[in-house]
Amino acid sequence: MGASADATTPISLLFSVVDRPGVLEGVLARFRACDINLVSIESRPGKEGVYDFFVDLEPVAPNRIEQAVQMLRSHDAVTDVKTLTHEANTATTSVPWFPRKIRDLDTFAEKVLSYGEDLDADHPGFTDAAYRERRAHITENARRYRTGMPLPHVEYTPEEHKTWGMVWKELSQLYPTHACREYNYVLPLLVQNCHFGPDRVPQIADVSSFLRDCTGWTLRPVMGLLSSRDFLNAFAFRVFHSTQYIRHASSPLYTPEPDCCHELLGHIPLFADPDFADFSHEIGLASLGASDEEIERLATIYWFTVEFGLCKQGTEVRAYGAGLLSSFGELSYALSDKPQRVPFEPSKTAVTAYPITEYQPLYYVAESFHHMKEQVREYARTFQRPFAVRYNALSQNIEILDNRDVLLRYANGIRGDLMNLIAALGKTPHSDPADLLAAHRATATETTATGTAAATETEPTHRR
Ligand SMILES: [Fe+2]
C-alpha cells in the first residue's frame, strides 16, 4: 500500500492529575462547562500519586478547545496538558493527533482516500462488473477488520491464482540479478514458510505471522489508499497496511494501483530484514505528531526509499524499493544508464519533486539500510514535536518521553538489557569488548546492496 495527502483526525488531550477524592469529577466538569463531548477517556498510572489521562474529544471549534485547555491548566490538580489536534495553534503544546495504542489503528479502517472497488475509466477492469464486485467483496473484509481479529482469508479463484503465477514467473527471473541480497535471502524463506511460488496467491495471515517472527512487523488489510499521515503512523507500530485484491486478469503485468502482487512481492520480503524493518520503523516514529509539512517530507522520503530506493551492494547498485521490485519495466530502467542516481540524503531527498505516472528521472542510492536508519533518525531530530516518543512492543503502546519518571523507567529498562547483554557476552566465545566495538564500527560503515525486480510492462500510475 502507499501513502497520499492528509485527512482530518480526532482531537485529543493528554494531561496528568494528582490523585485525591473527587478530583476527576471536577476535571470532567470543566469539559462540560465548555460544552465539549468526550468520546473516550483512559487513565494510566503516572508518577507516584499521579494518573495520566488520555481524552478523545468530538471535533469542536478551536476556541472551545483553547478554552478547555485554559480551564484545565487553571485546575490546581492538573499538570502537563498537551493538545493533539489538526487545529494548529490552539495551544502552545499542540501537535497533530497520533495513535497511541495499536487499537487506535482501527480508526483508519474507513478513512481511505480512495476505495479498492473504485476504478478509474482507464483501469483494465473498469468495464468488468464481476471484477468490480470481487474487489468490493475483498475490501469489505478490510472495512470490518479490527485489531485482534484473525486476518481475512481470501479464497482466490483459479483465474486469480493464474494472474499471480504470471507475475511471479516474470519477476522471479529478474530477482537474482536485480534484487538486493537481502531480498534474495528472504524470498526463499517465504517460499518455504508462506507458500510463495507460482501456483497460488499467498495469504497475508501466513505472511504476517512470518514477519512477526522475523522482525515484529505485522500486516493489516486496507480498503484502499490511506493518507500519508495514517499510513506512516502505522509504521510506528511496525504495522503495514496491505491490499488483498489482485490486478485484472487481462493485464497481468500492469496495475494502476497497489494490489497483492505489489504488496507481497514488492514490500513484504524486506520487512523481514532487521535493518530495513528498523529503518521503516524510524520513519513511522518520526511521523507521530509531525506537522503537515513534516509529513509531506517523510512521505517523500518514503517514496524515494521504500518505494523506489536503490542501494549500494559492493561495487554494484541494486534496487530495494517495492515500486521497482514489482515493476518489470522500471526495474531494468532504474539500473540502466538512463536515470540519474545520487546518494541518499534525507534533507535533500525530502524536498525532491517526483512524477507519479511515469518512470522516475532520479533515484536515491543508500549506503545501507542501517545507515539509512541513522540518517532518518538524525533528520527527524529537526522536527518540531516538543517531546520524544518510543514504541513499547510489549504493551504495543507509544510512550511519550516527557517527564523524569517515564525516562527513569526507560533508563532502567535499558540498564536491564545492557546487563543481560554483558552477561551474554561473558558466556560467548571471543567476547572481548574490543570485538564488540569492532563489530559495531563494521556495522555502522557497512555498505549493502539492494536491487529490485519488476512487475509491470506499462508503468503503474499510482502512488505505491
Ligand atoms: Fe507500495
Side-chain angles (χ1 to χ4, degrees), residues 1-3 231 240 258 262-263 267 302 306-307 322-323 462-464:
M1 194 52 212
F231 184 72
F240 180 77
H262 170 73
E263 319 285 29
H267 281 292
Y302 168 88
V306 179
E307 292 291 355
H462 66 282
R463 303 188 61 179
R464 285 153 288 196

Side-chain angles (χ1 to χ4, degrees), residues 12-48:
S12 304
L13 293 180
L14 283 66
F15 53 89
S16 301
V17 176
V18 178
D19 187 27
R20 68 185 187 218
V23 66
L24 182 58
E25 185 178 346
V27 170
L28 297 182
R30 301 202 172 200
F31 288 112
R32 287 196 293 272
C34 296
D35 198 24
I36 293 175
N37 291 327
L38 274 63
V39 177
S40 66
I41 181 168
E42 300 174 27
S43 62
R44 292 180 194 152
K47 54 191 175 185
E48 187 174 358

Side-chain angles (χ1 to χ4, degrees), residues 38 52 58 81 88 99 101-102 108 110 125 136 159 175 278 286 338 387 409 412 439:
L38 274 63
D52 294 333
E58 280 188 351
V81 182
K101 52 187 181 300
I102 201 164
F108 300 167
E110 298 191 55
E159 182 181 64
Y175 290 146
D278 288 347
K338 296 176 183 174
F387 47 80
R409 278 199 298 273
N412 282 329

Side-chain angles (χ1 to χ4, degrees), residues 88-106:
N89 302 321
T90 54
T92 55
T93 54
S94 175
V95 298
W97 179 92
F98 60 87
R100 300 181 303 274
K101 52 187 181 300
I102 201 164
R103 287 197 311 278
D104 289 344
L105 302 186
D106 291 346

